[in-house]
């Protein structure tokens, strides 16, 4: 199982590769039986589309090589592990297969670079988090993005970090087996100790990917968990009205936290809007693309605000520190969008990139840079 952060890193690597040709394939898939029985047929149909496209554009030999690479990588795919989209990135020399926990349009794209820009932007604007489920008997950990489950941690996982209290779910029977008298006097201590064990496991996982948390349980358990949590500031929301915490599906849990997540997203957008409004007109604001590029390569980029969906075609000259815009700047392309390069440079120099709704920017502007000084 490739987790979300690893997937993002793989996509960024793919973004830098070139192929002659580079083929990107996106196929709608299903998480559950019996719908996922149709997925191998959908894959076979899309491979026929790939083959036909490549024969027309690059000839039979190239088409055969690419299809063979894809067939080799998809031969042992188990549809029971499918998510919402199956993505394939292939050249005549190699192929990479990823499963996305979100929907993308079904399509085949043949070019010289892989079509990963829109996927990376979607991932950057989504809320990626851990759902920590706490009850008196069990602690569960679910990785999710927006309203989609990515993965629930179980004993079948092989994490790259040691879990101090064994695999998830973390369970205890101490509260159930103690006497009535002992529970009356020590139940709070037993519960705090158990929740502390859950948190130690959660933080071991978070040491790899420091995602925010939503804590789900009843009010008492949530309160105790916040008391014993090593990083309470990482808790972005709590939800105390979810049913079937011990035995409900991971998707049931994630469905139930959506109102709290939407409130968090609204608060985040409001905070971004206030930051943008206060930044306009100050010495630390840059809106001209040339000035933005110069500040970024000088290491003077704190936060780059980008209007969702914004594309700008052209080229960047790092020696001259110059931006040259393409006269065909509105043309659809996956290879000449300099916004992607600016985003990558900001990340490389330790800044952050925030995608915002169109109405948050001034009328004629689509990028706003806050400089460090």
């Amino acid at each position: 199982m490739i987790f979300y952060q690893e997937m993002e890193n793989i996509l960024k690597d793919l973004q830098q590769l070139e192929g002659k040709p580079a083929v990107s394939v996106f196929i709608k898939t299903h998480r559950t039986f019996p719908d996922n029985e149709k997925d191998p047929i959908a894959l076979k149909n899309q491979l026929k589309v790939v083959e036909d496209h490549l024969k027309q554009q690059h000839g039979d030999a190239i088409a055969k090589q690419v299809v063979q690479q894809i067939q080799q990588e998809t031969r042992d795919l188990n549809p029971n592990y499918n998510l919402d989209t199956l993505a394939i990135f292939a050249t005549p020399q190699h192929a990479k297969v990823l499963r996305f926990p979100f929907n993308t349009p079904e399509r085949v794209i043949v070019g010289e670079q892989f079509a990963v820009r829109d996927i990376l932007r979607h991932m950057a604007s989504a809320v990626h988090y851990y759902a920590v489920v706490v009850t008196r008997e069990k602690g569960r950990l679910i990785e999710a993005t927006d309203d989609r489950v990515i993965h629930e941690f179980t004993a079948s996982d092989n994490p790259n970090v040691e879990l101090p209290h064994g695999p998830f779910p973390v369970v205890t029977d101490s509260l159930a087996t103690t006497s009535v008298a002992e529970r009356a006097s020590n139940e709070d201590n037993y519960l705090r100790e158990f929740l502390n064990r859950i948190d130690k496991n959660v933080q071991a996982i978070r040491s790899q990917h420091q995602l925010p948390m939503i804590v789900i349980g009843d009010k008492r358990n949530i309160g105790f968990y916040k008391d014993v949590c090593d990083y309470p500031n990482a808790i972005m929301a709590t939800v105390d009205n979810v049913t079937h915490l011990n035995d409900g599906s991971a998707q049931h849990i994630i469905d139930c936290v959506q109102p709290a997540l939407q409130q968090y997203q609204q608060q985040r957008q409001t905070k971004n809007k206030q930051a943008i409004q206060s930044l306009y007109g100050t010495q630390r604001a840059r809106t001209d693309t040339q000035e933005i590029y110069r500040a970024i390569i000088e290491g003077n980029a704190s936060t780059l605000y980008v209007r969702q969906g914004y594309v700008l075609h052209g080229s960047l000259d790092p020696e001259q520190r110059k931006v040259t815009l393409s006269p065909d700047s509105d043309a659809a392309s996956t290879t000449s969008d300099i916004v992607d390069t600016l985003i990558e440079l900001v990340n490389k120099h330790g800044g952050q990139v925030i995608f915002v709704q169109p109405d948050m920017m001034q009328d004629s502007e689509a990028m706003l840079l806050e400089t460090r000084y």
Side-chain angles (χ1 to χ4, degrees), residues 191-201 228 230:
L191 185 55
R192 288 175 184 274
E193 191 276 333
F194 175 55
L195 296 175
N196 185 59
R197 287 163 53 195
I198 295 172
D199 185 63
K200 289 296 187 285
N201 266 23
V228 302
D230 287 345

Side-chain angles (χ1 to χ4, degrees), residues 114-273:
F114 296 120
V116 300
R117 183 195 66 214
D118 291 343
I119 303 299
L120 283 169
R121 290 196 183 189
H122 172 89
M123 294 174 71
S125 60
V127 181
H128 183 200
Y129 59 99
Y130 291 127
V132 183
V133 183
V134 292
T135 71
R136 296 172 74 254
E137 301 86 16
K138 185 181 290 188
R140 300 169 61 182
L141 183 64
I142 303 165
E143 184 180 0
T145 175
D146 289 344
D147 61 348
R148 305 296 177 92
V149 173
I150 297 175
H151 176 70
E152 177 167 8
F153 291 83
T154 67
S156 62
D157 293 324
N158 185 25
N160 297 324
V161 63
E162 181 179 355
L163 300 180
H165 297 287
F168 284 98
V170 181
V171 297
T172 184
D173 59 3
S174 61
L175 290 169
T177 58
T178 53
S179 67
V180 175
E182 189 175 8
R183 284 204 302 271
S185 60
N186 294 318
E187 182 172 7
D188 284 2
N189 291 334
Y190 279 120
L191 185 55
R192 288 175 184 274
E193 191 276 333
F194 175 55
L195 296 175
N196 185 59
R197 287 163 53 195
I198 295 172
D199 185 63
K200 289 296 187 285
N201 266 23
V202 170
Q203 302 311 329
I205 296 293
R206 288 190 70 248
S207 68
Q208 298 179 299
H209 306 306
Q210 294 185 4
L211 304 180
M213 300 179 288
I214 296 180
V215 181
I216 305 107
D218 63 29
K219 290 182 179 179
R220 182 165 178 257
N221 290 339
I222 290 173
F224 282 170
Y225 184 84
K226 291 171 73 174
D227 288 343
V228 302
C229 180
D230 287 345
Y231 297 95
N233 290 337
I235 299 174
M236 66 178 183
T238 62
V239 182
D240 60 17
N241 60 351
V242 181
T243 60
H244 304 291
L245 294 178
N246 284 332
D247 57 2
S249 71
Q251 189 60 56
H252 163 73
I253 302 294
I254 298 306
D255 287 343
C256 291
V257 305
Q258 289 311 297
L261 183 62
Q262 290 167 7
Q263 184 177 12
Y264 169 80
Q265 291 172 312
Q266 291 171 356
Q267 292 171 346
R268 188 171 69 167
Q269 288 294 334
T270 298
K271 182 179 179 181
N272 290 338
K273 186 173 184 178

Side-chain angles (χ1 to χ4, degrees), residues 12 30 50 71 80 101 172 201 212 269 272 276 303 313 360:
K12 288 179 179 178
H30 304 82
V50 170
Q71 288 174 335
N80 291 320
T172 184
N201 266 23
Q269 288 294 334
N272 290 338
I276 289 172
T303 303
H313 297 283
M360 291 189 184

